[in-house]
Each structure stands twice: as structure tokens, then as C-alpha cells.
Amino acid sequence: MPALSIVIPVFEAEKYLPGCLDTVVDGGGDELEVVVVDDCSPDGSRAVAERYAARDARVRVISTPVNAGSGPARNFGLAQAKGDYVWFVDADDELKPGAVERVLAAVSVPRPPDVVLVQHEKRRDTGFIESGELPELAEQCPADPSGFTLAEWPRIVDYTHTPWTKVSRRAFLDGTGLGFPTGWYTDIPWTYALLRRAERIAVVVECCYQWRQRAGSSITRTRDDRHFDVFTQWQRTWDDFEDVDDAGVRVALFNHMVWHLLLVIGNTERVEPKKRREFFRRTSELYRRYHPGPDAWRPAQGVTGLKQRLLAARAYVGYEAFRQVYRIAKRVNRNGGPRVPAPSPEPTASEVEASSANSSVGASVAQHASEDASGLAAQPTLPAPRVSGS
């Protein structure tokens, strides 16, 4: 029986699948199994996979009965995987050299973990590479990074919730009965349900995975009403955590949810402008419903806290006015105008107000921030996550 099964759901990936498979079959030897799940792809993806299977006995190609999306395709592949551990890899991404060996080393220990989190990097179309945040998170781990629980390290929820950064013990997965739901953002309920049930979690801080973000192939760069699925998936997550009383876990999860929903609405490549008000309203509903209380969590300082307070106050007009001020400040700086102080990634609330004090938009932001968020103290308990995108 192989030690590791890599499950690759495939749909319209003919162009990228060879690059993916080349990096996957490069390591592991006889300890590796590769399960390619053809999700009824209409292009030549299956033919590509079959060519690899013909020359490498470790590669198997299976097909879903009907096209159902990446989540159900992963479930289908998991049901036929034979390895001790399972790693879900996307067909348009690649593994880094030595990745399989690093994962095998992490699970070949006296007390094997239920879940291994692996470091990743994001490669954009331009070639720019952004490293994941796992190493710096691990430096702050209050427990043993080779074996801990979610309760021991709640802030690990800030690591990207993508399934391809998790390698899971197959018997553990089978025992939990966890699967991916349908829709978009299905990795959210799956990831946090996985972490809350794991009795041992480990990390590999050396880079193992390259997420290749391409225009048109990633939901993070696609405008579509299905981005509203994010509310269904976060609700599923909170339903699963209903009986979790650990305040640290609930606060960390709430903090991450607020960050994530503000990330989605703030991305002009995701939510249609005419749908932004509704998206903001539904974000505010989840904010109010699962707020852990002012003694446990309060808005952060600076720009992040301003957004959070506007969200708490349901102040959509103020939020949009603030976004316009920030865009103006960035454009002025980019075009060589009078320098507006703007620390990465965004200026502080006081700097935005100062730089736009003579504009009607700036005055509007200051007024909304004052009126709509009055009485909401800006005392942070958790900093905003530095996450490479999800």
C-alpha cells in the first residue's frame, strides 16, 4: 500500500496538466500513488492523464459519472485512494522539487499526525512570486509545531484554507466522514472541520506547493454571482463549530472570517459593483451574528479597524467612500503627484483623512466613520492575517 496518494481533480486543464504531473511523479518512488479524477472534462485532459498512466504504474485515471465540480471530484478520488495519506493537488498547479519527500518525512514519525500543513507560494501571470505565511506563523506557535491541536494554536486558522496545503491521514478522513460540499469556496467548511477534529497537526515550513494564479482559471480573479456562496460556506463552518466552547478558537475563527469576507468584497475582480451593497449587507449579518463579544474581540487599529467598524455599523456608504479615498491616494502616488503617506498595503485611517481633508470624498469618509462607528472602541485583540489570497 502506498504511503501517499495525490488526488488531482481535472476539468479543462489540458494545457497545464503535463506540468503538474511532471512535478508530481518526479518524487516518492513506490510510496506514491497518483489518482487523476477526470470530472467529465470536454478537452483532452483525460488523454494527457492516460499517457502518463501508460508509462507510470503509479498513475491511475478515473472518471466521475457527471461533471460536479472540484469538491465532489475530490470526494470521488478520495474514495478510491489507497495511500496512508491523501494530498489534494489542483491540475493547473505544481509541486516544488522535493515536496513529496518532505511530506513523507513529516508523516514517517513515531506519532504520525492527522494533518500536515505545507508551505506554498503563489505565482502570478506576471511571474511575480509571493511566499505563503506558514513559516512566520510557525515562529509564533505556542505549542510543538510537529504535533499540536487547534485548541493549542487557534491562530493557525489564519493559514490559507485551500485544500492543497493540507495532507491528511486517510483513516482519519474516513473516520470523520468529511467531504467537500458543492459550490464555490468549499474549502472553507472542509478545512476548519478538518482542523477542529485533528488530534495532531504538523507543519512543513519548506515550500512544497506552487499555486499558479491565472486570469480566468481562478475564482479569485473571476467576477461571478457564485462568490455569494462564501456566505453558505461560512455558515456551514459556524454550524459545525456550534458545540465548540473554546473562546480562543471562536475568536480566531471570527477574526479570520471578517478578514476573508472583507478581502472578497474588496477585490474588484470578484464581486460585481451592482452587487456590492448586498454582499456588504450579508457580511455585516455574519459579523453581528457570530461576534464573540466586546470583551473577547474588538476592531483593530488603523484602516483594518475602520473597515470593521463600518461593517459593524452596516455603513455601506461610508465603506464605499473610504475605498474611493484610498484609490485616489494610490493613483496620486502612482502618477507622481504630492506624496500621500501610504504604508503597505493601505494607509492608516488618520493618513487617509489627512491626505484628503480638502476633498468632499475625504470629508464624507471622516463623517461616516465618526457617525456610523461611534462607541465602537478600536482596541485590537488579533492582528489581521497576512494571507497570500483565498
Side-chain angles (χ1 to χ4, degrees):
M1 184 170 65
L4 176 66
S5 293
I6 292 182
V7 175
I8 308 174
V10 176
F11 183 80
E12 294 185 344
E14 178 182 5
K15 180 178 179 181
Y16 308 114
L17 186 58
C20 174
L21 286 172
D22 283 343
T23 64
V24 169
V25 301
D26 184 53
D30 293 338
E31 295 186 281
L32 178 69
E33 172 192 53
V34 183
V35 181
V36 180
V37 185
D38 171 26
D39 192 24
C40 300
S41 185
D43 64 358
S45 294
R46 182 181 178 90
V48 170
E50 287 177 339
R51 286 199 298 271
Y52 278 79
R55 61 176 184 256
D56 192 329
R58 300 174 301 170
V59 180
R60 288 192 292 135
V61 184
I62 60 177
S63 296
T64 58
V66 295
N67 172 254
S70 59
R74 292 187 188 109
N75 296 337
F76 191 75
L78 172 62
Q80 300 196 41
K82 300 176 181 178
D84 296 327
Y85 282 80
V86 177
W87 190 359
F88 298 109
V89 169
D90 283 356
D92 57 349
D93 294 338
E94 297 180 2
L95 299 188
K96 300 292 287 183
V100 172
E101 282 71 24
R102 286 192 283 273
V103 167
L104 289 174
V107 302
S108 301
V109 292
R111 297 183 62 194
D114 293 324
V115 179
V116 177
L117 307 179
V118 300
Q119 166 69 340
H120 75 286
E121 65 184 21
K122 176 168 67 175
R123 182 183 180 92
R124 298 184 183 274
D125 289 337
T126 60
F128 177 76
I129 294 178
E130 179 182 353
S131 295
E133 63 282 2
L134 188 58
E136 59 189 71
L137 280 173
E139 290 178 355
Q140 306 167 24
C141 179
D144 180 357
S146 67
F148 60 91
T149 65
L150 180 59
E152 291 173 326
W153 189 15
R155 284 299 306 279
I156 193 58
V157 301
D158 284 342
Y159 190 47
T160 176
H161 44 243
T162 51
W164 33 258
T165 52
K166 284 88 185 169
V167 181
S168 306
R169 189 164 58 85
R170 186 166 60 89
F172 164 70
L173 276 180
D174 290 343
T176 62
L178 292 176
F180 292 89
T182 58
W184 282 18
Y185 298 98
T186 60
D187 41 1
I188 293 172
W190 183 84
T191 287
Y192 299 122
L194 188 77
L195 295 181
R196 68 158 289 198
R197 288 164 173 79
E199 295 183 2
R200 286 185 64 81
I201 305 170
V203 300
V204 174
V205 296
E206 295 82 12
C207 192
C208 294
Y209 194 95
Q210 185 174 92
W211 171 28
R212 302 178 70 87
Q213 191 183 51
R214 300 177 175 89
S217 66
S218 170
I219 70 169
T220 62
R221 300 182 64 182
T222 305
R223 276 190 179 179
D224 197 293
D225 284 352
R226 284 175 289 180
H227 284 294
F228 280 81
D229 286 359
V230 72
F231 299 109
T232 299
Q233 309 303 0
W234 273 112
Q235 185 60 61
R236 282 173 170 157
T237 300
W238 284 109
D239 289 346
D240 184 61
F241 276 70
E242 185 176 5
D243 61 347
V244 175
D245 297 326
D246 189 299
V249 170
R250 296 186 70 87
V251 168
L253 190 65
F254 176 82
N255 189 70
H256 189 78
M257 178 190 73
V258 172
W259 168 85
H260 184 237
L261 293 177
L262 285 173
L263 173 75
V264 176
I265 193 175
N267 188 328
T268 57
E269 294 181 307
R270 300 198 200 189
V271 182
E272 292 282 356
K274 64 182 179 181
K275 303 292 181 66
R276 293 177 58 80
R277 182 184 293 272
E278 173 63 13
F279 196 99
F280 186 90
R281 182 189 67 80
R282 294 187 62 177
T283 299
S284 182
E285 287 179 356
L286 282 181
Y287 180 104
R288 288 170 170 251
R289 185 180 307 156
Y290 294 107
H291 195 296
D295 293 335
W297 186 93
R298 294 185 182 183
Q301 296 175 346
V303 139
T304 298
L306 178 57
K307 291 178 182 178
Q308 293 167 346
R309 294 195 299 277
L310 291 171
L311 187 63
R314 299 179 180 175
Y316 175 71
V317 174
Y319 170 79
E320 282 297 322
F322 166 75
R323 290 183 71 250
Q324 293 303 317
V325 167
Y326 175 56
R327 287 186 173 190
I328 291 171
K330 284 182 66 178
R331 190 157 50 244
V332 168
N333 288 341
R334 188 167 55 245
N335 293 337
R339 182 66 185 172
V340 179
S344 178
E346 293 180 335
T348 66
S350 60
E351 288 166 338
V352 170
E353 183 176 343
S355 67
S356 48
N358 294 325
S359 73
S360 58
V361 177
S364 173
V365 169
Q367 179 180 356
H368 279 289
S370 175
E371 294 176 355
D372 295 328
S374 60
L376 294 172
Q379 295 181 331
T381 56
L382 293 175
R386 188 197 72 77
V387 183
S388 55
S390 49

